[in-house]
Amino acid sequence: MPDKQATIYDVAQTAGVSIATVSRVMSGGSVSAASRQKVEAAIEALGYSPSPSATHRTAKRDGRRLAMVLSEISNPYFASMAAGAEKEARRNGYALLLYTVNLKNGDAEGIIDRLIEQRPDGAVLVGSILENKNACSLQSLLRLQRAMPLVTIGPRIEELSSINITSDLSLSVRKSINHLYALGHRRIAFIGGTSDVRSSSIREKAFYDEMERLDLHADRTLHTETGYMPQDGEICVAKLFARLSPSELPTALIAINDLVALGAMRQLQRMGLRVPDDVAIIGCDNQFFTSYLNPPLTTVDLHPEEHGRSAVSELILAGSGGSIVPYSQISECTLIVRESCGAALGYRRLG
């Protein structure tokens, strides 16, 4: 390569092996004789020489690092998941490197490049890097998969050979609807989320399917997409209640998450509507603040801390002589009944 310096990617491509195999050969790790011969031949043919900084990182690396890539850590859902992962990593003597994806900056591809360069012993992927259609290409995820073991948390991507950990998102919606139905609610709306996120699409479909199964009115006016933050809940409620006639207004709301439910409750209060007397509401995620709201929020616990712990446990098992055998762990969610749906009020003939 006379015009440019060869990279580790060039070596891997020429040798027909993964980047992880090239790194193991260079650091004296265990690889097959055939793979070692291919890599050494490619290094000689390309004149590849690692940078001093890369050599330093390889020399200093103790082989006990894991990575976790997630969406905004400020969201308590992801913070809880990271806490579970970090506790499990520390318990087993591993360090956990955290990376957050900012969709506005388009940095998902850059994070994958850094992970391949830094070579942790495995990575957990969760949130927008997997779920948002515009965040990261499948080709980049496959490139990362070839470099290290992966565990994904969220809806499964069939093309990835990873362990997948997910909650039964459809069941979370069905449980919410049936709880409200048992209390007498028949006009139920679904608020928050965006259609470009796979978990939102799964929940939206479950909402309409379950409403249809119960023979309830559920046209598209009963779902307002805005996002995932408290201000999105405020906007959802304002839009929804502005465009419907009094006879069409929902008597209950199912929010995409607890943050949206929080904003929705504030907007309902501004409009002079009482929760749960006038409008019942259910969130999702069972975040730490839900029991402190007035009234306390009924929600669905997806057990994110346990997901984080399980993901790290699987990576450590793979790194200690096991291997990643692709399969899915589907966890059942738990409905946490509090006062925001008015269960204490009993069955209500709301029509």
Side-chain angles (χ1 to χ4, degrees):
M1 286 193 173
D3 297 328
K4 67 174 184 176
Q5 184 176 354
T7 68
I8 192 171
Y9 305 106
D10 299 322
V11 174
Q13 184 175 14
T14 300
V17 299
S18 70
I19 294 170
T21 299
V22 176
S23 296
R24 283 195 291 272
V25 170
M26 293 174 57
S27 61
S30 175
V31 297
S32 69
S35 293
R36 183 178 297 279
Q37 186 176 7
K38 289 179 183 178
V39 171
E40 289 174 347
I43 289 174
E44 183 176 354
L46 295 173
Y48 172 69
S49 177
S51 67
S53 61
T55 303
H56 176 76
R57 282 193 300 270
T58 300
K60 292 293 185 181
R61 183 174 178 268
D62 63 4
R64 299 183 71 83
R65 301 181 305 166
L66 301 172
M68 187 173 201
V69 184
L70 66 168
S71 299
E72 293 297 331
I73 196 70
S74 58
N75 185 320
Y77 175 79
F78 293 112
S80 178
M81 189 177 292
E86 196 278 331
K87 288 177 185 176
E88 184 66 13
R90 179 158 37 88
R91 189 177 71 84
N92 286 275
Y94 283 75
L96 183 68
L97 310 175
L98 286 180
Y99 299 83
T100 58
V101 173
N102 187 327
L103 290 181
K104 293 181 181 178
N105 297 336
D107 60 355
E109 303 280 353
I111 286 174
I112 286 180
D113 289 338
R114 292 208 303 276
L115 285 174
I116 293 173
E117 180 185 5
Q118 293 173 2
R119 273 194 316 118
D121 294 293
V124 180
L125 306 181
V126 59
S128 55
I129 194 169
L130 292 174
E131 293 211 43
N132 192 291
K133 300 170 184 176
N134 303 314
C136 189
S137 68
L138 176 61
Q139 288 72 21
S140 291
L141 294 174
L142 291 172
R143 185 160 58 91
L144 181 61
Q145 173 194 287
R146 290 191 292 270
M148 66 192 65
L150 294 183
V151 174
T152 58
I153 302 178
R156 182 172 182 78
I157 297 177
E158 294 297 332
E159 295 86 350
L160 284 182
S161 297
S162 66
I163 291 175
N164 175 246
I165 300 172
T166 187
S167 297
D168 192 333
L169 298 176
S170 295
L171 181 61
S172 74
V173 176
R174 295 198 302 272
K175 282 188 172 185
S176 299
I177 291 175
N178 281 278
H179 179 64
L180 293 168
Y181 186 88
L183 294 174
H185 294 277
R186 298 296 181 265
R187 295 195 302 276
I188 304 169
F190 184 60
I191 61 173
T194 53
S195 58
D196 60 351
V197 173
R198 294 189 303 140
S199 59
S200 288
S201 299
I202 291 171
R203 289 180 180 177
E204 181 182 0
K205 182 179 185 304
F207 173 76
Y208 288 112
D209 288 349
E210 189 65 10
M211 291 286 281
E212 182 179 355
R213 189 186 72 82
L214 294 172
D215 198 25
L216 301 179
H217 175 69
D219 63 31
R220 296 290 161 173
T221 62
L222 292 179
H223 179 205
T224 302
E225 289 187 10
T226 51
Y228 301 88
M229 302 304 291
Q231 59 267 32
D232 298 313
E234 295 177 281
I235 294 169
C236 276
V237 168
K239 285 184 174 180
L240 184 63
F241 280 68
R243 71 170 179 248
L244 297 176
S245 66
S247 63
E248 296 173 319
L249 290 176
T251 62
L253 304 174
I254 296 174
I256 192 75
N257 64 21
D258 293 332
L259 294 176
V260 169
L262 177 63
M265 290 174 72
R266 183 177 182 183
Q267 181 62 27
L268 290 168
Q269 184 182 38
R270 284 199 194 103
M271 296 165 60
L273 296 171
R274 298 165 300 166
V275 176
D277 304 72
D278 300 317
V279 182
I281 186 165
I282 295 181
C284 187
D285 294 343
N286 193 30
Q287 295 186 3
F288 71 92
F289 57 81
T290 52
S291 62
Y292 296 98
L293 296 176
N294 185 22
L297 181 65
T298 295
T299 184
V300 179
D301 194 342
L302 301 179
H303 309 292
E305 185 168 351
E306 177 61 21
H307 288 349
R309 188 203 66 75
S310 295
V312 165
S313 179
E314 292 289 350
L315 285 181
I316 292 173
L317 179 64
S320 61
S323 60
I324 290 290
V325 179
Y327 75 97
S328 286
Q329 299 178 13
I330 303 177
S331 303
E332 185 169 338
C333 52
T334 306
L335 181 68
I336 309 296
V337 177
R338 299 194 180 102
E339 297 165 36
S340 66
C341 291
L345 300 176
Y347 183 85
R348 290 170 284 175
R349 297 188 179 280
L350 298 165

